[in-house]
Structure formats: C-alpha cells, structure tokens
Amino acid sequence: MQPIPKNNITKSYTIPLDLLIDILKIVLNNNLDYNIEAINDKESSLLMQISFDQTHINHPKAKENIECFLNDYGHFFYGSPNEQ
C-alpha cells in the first residue's frame, strides 16, 4: 500500500448497492483512488475508502457530489431527523 500524500483526504463511506454505479461513475471519471474495505450482504451495502486530492480542481466537487448522493438517499429512505 502506498503512503497517502499530505494534501489528500481519505474518507470511508457506506454505499448502498442502489447507488454503487452512480458513485463508481464519479470515482472513475475523476480518477479518485479507492479501496473496497468490506461488503455487507445483509444490508446490501459496501464500505469504500476514497482518497480526494485537495489540490486537484475536480476532487472537492466529486467529494461533494458523493456526499450529496448519500445524504439524499438517506433522506429518501429514512426521512430527515426532524420528521421523527
């Protein structure tokens, strides 16, 4: 495994399989480094570690898009915390 450069941010995301193709499209189109850490068959999700280079022009927007997909998915299926 290669050391992570200091200008990179690495985050782990739990990705539902419903969103996997959309997230992979963002990751591959922006040449993001990623690693699939685990697969959860019971919840139909996987844990993916993604590295974002803060100095790259597209990586901050890619990070924002991934997090927006995951937040919207959570709101759609589970509602907002204020609704409970």
Side-chain angles (χ1 to χ4, degrees):
M1 186 169 212
Q2 298 176 355
I4 299 170
K6 291 184 179 183
N7 56 349
N8 278 14
I9 296 174
T10 301
K11 292 191 72 172
S12 291
Y13 297 100
T14 300
I15 300 174
L17 293 182
D18 295 344
L19 293 180
L20 181 59
I21 297 299
D22 297 316
I23 302 295
L24 278 177
K25 185 176 178 182
I26 294 169
V27 168
L28 296 175
N29 284 342
N30 291 287
N31 296 319
L32 298 170
D33 292 330
Y34 70 97
N35 184 32
I36 296 175
E37 299 180 274
I39 298 172
N40 187 337
D41 288 334
K42 292 180 182 177
E43 294 182 9
S44 297
S45 65
L46 57 86
L47 185 63
M48 182 185 285
Q49 187 179 60
I50 304 173
S51 293
F52 303 94
D53 182 352
Q54 293 180 307
T55 61
H56 192 283
I57 193 165
N58 293 332
H59 287 199
K61 185 65 174 173
K63 179 178 180 287
E64 182 182 326
N65 287 341
I66 289 170
E67 291 173 355
C68 184
F69 265 111
L70 294 172
N71 285 335
D72 289 349
Y73 182 87
H75 285 286
F76 181 75
F77 276 97
Y78 308 113
S80 67
N82 297 332
E83 292 177 1
Q84 297 175 350

